Amino acid sequence: MRVRTPWIEALRKKQEKDIDPTQKSGTPATPSNRDLAPKRMSDSYHRVVIPLAQDPWLLDNYLNASGHIRLGTIFMDLDALSGVIAYKHTGESVTTVTAAVDRITINHPLKELCDLELSGQVTFATGRSSMEISIQVAKAPEEGASVQKEDVLMTCAFTMVSLDPNTKKPVAICPVKVETEEEKSLFAEGERNYNIKKARAKTGLRKQTPNDEESDLIHAMWLRQLEYHDPNNPLRKPPNTYYMSTTTLSSSQIMQPQYRNRHNFMIFGGYLLKTTFELAFCAAAAFSHSRPTFLSLDPSTFENPVPVGSVLYLKATVAYTEPATNDDTSAQPEDQRRQRNHGSADQNGGKYTRVQIRIDSKVRDIEHGSTKPTGQFNYTFLVEKDISVMPQTYEEFMIWVDARRRAERVRGSIGGVREGNGSGKAEKGSERGAMDDGRGLRITE
C-alpha cells in the first residue's frame, strides 16, 4: 500500500502534537548505529502483477474514453513500485523520496488488453544517500514462464534519495553487493548515469552559454523571422510553423490528501508524473490538432516536495520539433532536417513530427505567500502532422536549445534503456532500436 494511515488519523495526530511533519527539526530520527552492510540486488527485487485482463473494475481505473490504457496511471504505479523497492533496500528508519526519473521509454507497445507485470530492483547504490532503481513493465507471462523481449512494454529508471525523517538531511544507505556478470553490467550502467548527470549539471545553460553551432542556429532563426515581417520580402511564415508563445497550456489544482505519499503530508511523485504527462498530452494534441503517441519521458528532476493542501501550477510549452520519417532524417544535418520539416512526406505518404513538450511546475501555499519550483518534465510525442515550432524571445531560444540538446542525446543513443532480458529484471544499455518509433498499432494512450 502507498499509504498506511487514514488521512483523518494522520491529521488528528498532527493537530494533537502541534508539529508540522513537513518542516525540519533539529533532532535526527535515524539511528546512528543501524546496519549498513552491503545488500544483494536480489534482496530488493519486487514483482507485482496487475490483472487488467481479469478484473473489469480494476481495468476501469486504467482506461481512457477511447478504451486505451492511460500511461499516466502506469507512471503512478512505477513510482509506487520504486518506493516499495527502495524501502526493501533501506529499511523503515529513513524517509525515501523520488529525486529523479532518469528515463521512461516504450519498447514494444501493447496491442491487446492483458495482465501487466511490473518488476524491478536497486541496481546502483554506493553507500551514499541515493540509489538507482531499474524497472520494467511487461505482459505478464504464464505461470512458470519468463518474460519475452517482445512482451516488454516499458523500461525506466528512478533515482531515490533517503533522508532523515526529522532533519530532512540525506543519510547513508547500504551499498549494493555485485555478484554476477549481469549485475556488474547493471551497476556499471548506473554509475555511468550518475556521472553523466553530474557532468550535465555543469554544462547546462545556466552555467554555459550556447555553443557556436547553437548560436548560429539561433541567429539563422532570428534572421528568418525578420524576413517573415519584411513587407518588401515575399517570404512569409509557413502555415505549419507556429511561434512558441502560442503553444503554451497551463493548469492549477489544489493538492488533495488522496494522492499523498506514505508519510501522509506530501504528494507522491507518481501523481506528479501522471498530471504532467496528461497536460503534455493535451498540449501536443492542441498544437498538432491530432492524437499524439507517447515516445519517451526524458530525464526529469523533482526539485522540491509538494505539500498536501498546496496549489500546484503547471505550464506546458512545445519546446522543440523535428521530422520523424522512415528514412531516419534524424541522422541528417540540422539544416536539412529543418528544411524537411516544412513539407516532406515519409515513405508511407504520411508526415510525422516528434514534438517535445516541456512542463514547468511550481507549488505555492494556499495563502500564496511563497512559491517554489517543483521540477521540469520533458515528454516526447509523435504526431502524424508536418508541423514545427519557432522561438522568438531569448528565453524561448534557450528553451529550444535545451530541448534540442535532449533530442541530440536521444539521437546518439536511440532507446536509452535496453529491452528486458526475459528474466523479469530490467536491463539497461544503449542499443539502437530498443525504443518504439510510435507508429505501430497500440492500446496505450
Side-chain angles (χ1 to χ4, degrees), residues 124-268:
F124 178 72
T126 61
R128 293 186 290 266
S129 61
S130 65
M131 71 197 93
E132 182 171 288
I133 296 172
S134 298
I135 298 177
Q136 76 173 24
V137 181
K139 180 179 179 180
E142 298 291 336
E143 190 69 29
S146 298
V147 173
Q148 302 301 309
K149 287 184 178 181
E150 61 272 15
D151 292 333
V152 176
L153 164 66
M154 186 184 302
T155 47
C156 62
F158 283 78
T159 297
M160 312 292 286
V161 173
S162 293
L163 309 173
D164 182 276
N166 287 352
T167 66
K168 314 303 181 190
K169 293 182 178 180
V171 294
I173 61 174
C174 301
V176 164
K177 182 192 301 182
V178 178
E179 296 177 322
T180 68
E181 289 302 316
E182 179 187 348
E183 290 177 351
K184 289 179 181 178
S185 175
L186 291 169
F187 187 90
E189 183 65 22
E191 185 173 34
R192 187 183 74 87
N193 290 340
Y194 175 79
N195 292 330
I196 287 175
K197 282 185 287 186
K198 288 181 63 177
R200 286 176 183 168
K202 297 178 181 178
T203 59
L205 288 170
R206 290 181 179 270
K207 300 291 182 67
Q208 291 186 3
T209 58
N211 60 36
D212 290 344
E213 180 187 12
E214 292 164 345
S215 296
D216 289 344
L217 291 171
I218 291 172
H219 188 69
M221 281 190 286
W222 176 72
L223 289 177
R224 182 60 59 89
Q225 290 180 43
L226 293 181
E227 294 175 340
Y228 290 161
H229 293 91
D230 184 356
N232 298 315
N233 192 323
L235 185 65
R236 291 293 178 264
K237 181 173 69 67
N240 64 342
T241 296
Y242 295 86
Y243 289 124
M244 189 180 292
S245 59
T246 67
T247 69
T248 60
L249 202 60
S250 299
S251 71
S252 59
Q253 54 185 311
I254 297 177
M255 295 291 96
Q256 303 291 1
Q258 286 73 26
Y259 295 104
R260 67 193 185 277
N261 63 17
R262 63 188 289 157
H263 307 293
N264 291 311
F265 297 98
M266 295 293 182
I267 300 300
F268 94 109

Side-chain angles (χ1 to χ4, degrees), residues 63 65 77 82 140 369:
L63 292 184
D77 291 338
S82 68

